[in-house]
């Protein structure tokens, strides 16, 4: 039996620890140090220093820390992105997204995926950065582990219309990248996927064996019946 | 009107109009700093003395904000009801300011005045307090309605539902104090508590204080009850369509209301200006009073940094199924323990009644908590940490 209101006090203890701790340890400020991966000399020193290179805002930057979640990305396994894309354009995420910022067009014909199974794929998969609220619901609902959160935060662009619509090919990121930015989550996800796959295969095998046994039994029964028929003749 | 009277009125009201708005500026800075530290950020730290690089911990921030607010364009939506759109922020500020006049603050310059040291010395101050603070609801709904914006209207509706619901536990928890002090006069209630006889130090007073504080959070639209202005759901709620100085007025009104309701909590439960060293320096009473208000405000900020916002159904269930029965039960307990201690004077009876009330209150709260919770299961997430 928990104390009434105990959760509130627990939460307040956490925030108090943060409050006091922020005066003593510099490491706590890591959440706001957005350029932590850069050497000191390369940090923007004054206005106008940034961006350093053209297109830098969409570069695959290593990120703040591995708790950061900002914007979805599509996953593919090792290999050519479009050959190993996991998304099958089932459009569940499109329907579940609260602000409706995902736009998917399903392909007309099937194509082999990483497992060599013919599947549909998204001919178009756009997400509007300006509308996405980073809720991660698309990630929760995807049955194919095809969409996960990226932690890129440099999404600003001078193009107000096209630039804010991220296209399929820009959304596609490899599983290795996912492992790099969210190591823990990626590991649990891989584990769970492997377990699911194994369970599915075991089930399939069992089903196949059962079907085989049933077929044999049926055949045997038929044979027996035939024989008895022959006997009566 | 005699000169004497004018002098009295000025001495009683001008300090309120000076002290509290400047405290407001300081509180906004304090709130931003505290929230930032809670979230492991630094908070405002750049604006200090103009034209230099001296930051002064960002203490210049409120002034800079004020300047920005005043010079910002005042936008009124085309379909808005212009008159009410203008009146709403003013009406939001007036009741908050009026309430301040009821607080039993004893300023040291009281001796220059002819007797009366408070702006209003009403025998029914507590009732007046609640009556006037109820006006704020009207202002908020006015703002929501006049803006002609769906988010404003939603915010206004939420605000009305919330403030009407939470007013009841707020008043009922104050009733206990009125019963015990035998007066509705703020000054007399303060006098009863001198010498550390604070009402919060009794079991029923403690329970009433907690209920009062929670209801006060809801009354002033503070987190976790900030549904009327929930940014992530309805932009900015009822003041979505306000900018510039009108917005600043709303902001000011909200904070003054916070001071006022904390001031009432201090008067009712925390012994008003009572504190140590009063015999040596009577002027300390104002300092204690304001320090206690600030203590409560600090807890409000701390809670804001800690708790997530409630859902609408949780909010209503909490008011009607938890706080309301609890405060009624508390009135019964207070009455009974009072009569028991009157009938059987002595420490034993006191100890017994206090233990019984504390345990009874806790069991009641625990039971109500169980009943009032929503039965919906929380959603399960696979990967959200
Ligand atoms: S990302 Fe997942 S949920 Fe969305 S269409 Fe692709 S497979 Fe379906
Ligand atoms: S994170 Fe939320 S808002 Fe963004 S695309 Fe996914 S479901 Fe939509």
């Amino acid at each position: 039996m928990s104390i009434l209101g105990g959760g509130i006090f627990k939460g307040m203890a956490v925030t108090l620890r943060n409050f006091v701790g922020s005066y003593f340890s510099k490491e706590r400020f890591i959440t706001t140090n957005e350029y932590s991966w850069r050497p000191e000399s390369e940090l923007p020193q004054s206005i106008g220093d940034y961006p350093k290179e053209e297109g830098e805002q969409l570069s695959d930057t290593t990120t703040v820390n591995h708790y950061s979640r900002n914007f979805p990305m599509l996953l593919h396994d090792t290999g050519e992105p479009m050959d190993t894309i996991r998304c099958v354009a089932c459009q569940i995420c499109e329907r579940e997204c609260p602000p409706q910022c995902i736009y998917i067009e399903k392909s007309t014909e099937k194509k082999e995926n990483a497992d060599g199974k013919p599947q549909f794929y998204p001919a178009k998969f756009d997400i509007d950065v300006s509308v996405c609220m980073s809720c991660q619901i698309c990630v929760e609902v995807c049955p194919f582990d095809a969409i996960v959160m990226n932690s890129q935060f440099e999404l600003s662009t001078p193009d107000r219309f096209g630039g804010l619509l991220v296209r399929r090919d820009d959304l596609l990121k490899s599983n290795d990248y996912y492992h790099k930015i969210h190591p823990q989550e990626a590991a649990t996800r891989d584990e769970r996927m492997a377990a699911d796959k194994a369970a599915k295969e075991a089930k399939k095998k069992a089903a196949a064996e059962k079907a085989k046994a049933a077929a044999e039994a049926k055949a045997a029964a038929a044979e027996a019946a035939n024989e008895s028929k022959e006997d009566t003749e | 009107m005699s000169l004497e009277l004018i002098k009295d009125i000025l001495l009683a009201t001008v300090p309120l109009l000076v002290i509290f708005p400047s405290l407001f500026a300081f509180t906004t800075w304090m709130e931003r700093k505290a929230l930032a530290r809670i979230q492991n950020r630094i908070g405002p730290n750049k604006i200090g003395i103009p034209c230099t690089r001296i930051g002064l911990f960002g203490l210049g921030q409120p002034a800079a904000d004020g300047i920005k607010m005043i010079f910002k364009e005042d936008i009124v939506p085309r379909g808005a009801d212009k008159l009410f759109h203008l009146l709403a922020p003013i009406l939001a500020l007036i009741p908050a300011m009026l309430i301040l006049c009821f607080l039993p603050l004893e300023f040291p310059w009281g001796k220059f005045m002819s007797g009366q040291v408070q702006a209003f010395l009403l025998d029914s101050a507590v009732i007046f307090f609640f009556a006037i603070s109820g006006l704020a609801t009207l202002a908020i709904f006015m703002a929501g309605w006049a803006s002609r914006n769906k988010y404003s209207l939603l915010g206004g509706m939420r605000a009305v539902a919330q403030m009407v619901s939470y007013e009841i536990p707020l008043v009922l928890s104050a009733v206990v104090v009125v019963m015990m002090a035998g007066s509705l006069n703020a000054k007399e209630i303060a006098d009863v508590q001198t010498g550390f006889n604070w009402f919060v130090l009794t079991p029923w007073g403690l329970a009433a204080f907690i209920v009062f504080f929670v209801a006060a959070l809801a009354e002033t639209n503070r987190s976790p009850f900030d549904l009327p202005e929930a940014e992530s759901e309805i932009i900015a709620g009822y003041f979505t369509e306000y900018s510039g100085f009108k917005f600043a007025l709303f902001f000011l009104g909200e904070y003054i209301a916070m001071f006022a309701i904390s001031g009432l909590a201090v008067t009712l439960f925390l012994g008003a200006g009572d504190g140590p060293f009063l015999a040596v320096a009577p002027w300390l009473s104002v300092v204690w009073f304001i320090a206690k208000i600030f203590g409560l405000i600090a807890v409000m900020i701390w809670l804001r940094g800690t708790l997530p916002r409630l859902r609408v159904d949780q909010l209503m269930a909490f008011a009607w199924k938890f706080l309301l029965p609890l405060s009624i039960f508390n009135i019964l307990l207070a009455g009974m323990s009072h009569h028991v201690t009157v009938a059987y004077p002595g420490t034993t009876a006191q100890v017994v009644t206090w233990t019984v009330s504390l345990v009874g209150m806790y069991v009641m709260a625990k039971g109500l908590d169980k009943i009032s919770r929503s039965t919906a299961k929380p959603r399960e997430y696979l990967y959200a940490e």
Side-chain angles (χ1 to χ4, degrees), chain B residues 152-322:
Chain B
S152 300
L153 191 56
L154 272 176
M157 277 159 54
R158 283 183 178 193
V160 172
Q162 172 175 334
M163 291 168 98
V164 168
S165 313
Y166 277 86
E167 208 141 75
I168 299 163
L170 190 77
V171 175
L172 285 181
S173 53
V175 162
V176 178
V177 170
V178 174
M179 274 164 59
M180 288 309 186
S183 167
L184 282 165
N185 186 326
K187 183 87 184 64
E188 278 171 24
I189 291 176
D191 287 344
V192 173
Q193 301 180 66
T194 44
F196 286 95
N197 282 321
W198 301 2
F199 284 137
V200 75
L201 302 178
T202 56
W204 44 268
L206 180 67
F209 174 65
I210 294 170
V211 172
F212 187 92
F213 188 70
V214 172
L217 282 179
E219 272 300 290
T220 49
N221 298 333
R222 290 288 300 182
S223 173
F225 305 106
D226 56 350
L227 284 98
E229 49 198 79
E231 296 103 336
S232 46
E233 298 160 23
I234 47 174
I235 323 273
Y238 54 89
F239 53 69
T240 304
E241 293 292 359
Y242 283 88
S243 59
F245 199 64
K246 286 185 195 158
F247 173 76
L249 279 184
F250 261 123
F251 206 45
L252 178 65
E254 206 167 281
Y255 274 82
I256 299 281
M258 265 164 70
F259 289 133
I261 213 145
S262 315
L264 186 67
V266 169
T267 311
L268 292 179
F269 300 102
L270 300 177
D274 190 37
F277 311 120
L278 275 184
V280 199
W283 53 269
L284 268 179
S285 127
V286 177
V287 177
W288 293 137
F289 199 103
I290 291 182
K292 283 175 199 170
I293 289 185
F294 258 92
L296 289 184
I297 300 253
V299 176
M300 287 185 182
I301 294 173
W302 188 2
L303 279 172
R304 177 173 169 192
T306 307
L307 300 178
R309 189 179 304 126
L310 264 68
R311 270 194 331 251
V312 179
D313 63 319
Q314 289 171 333
L315 179 91
M316 287 297 153
F318 189 60
W320 293 104
K321 295 188 189 161
F322 185 79

Side-chain angles (χ1 to χ4, degrees), chain A residues 87-93 104 142-144 146-147:
Chain A
C87 174
V88 300
C90 68
Q91 292 175 310
I92 291 177
C93 55
I104 300 173
C142 177
F144 298 92
I147 190 165

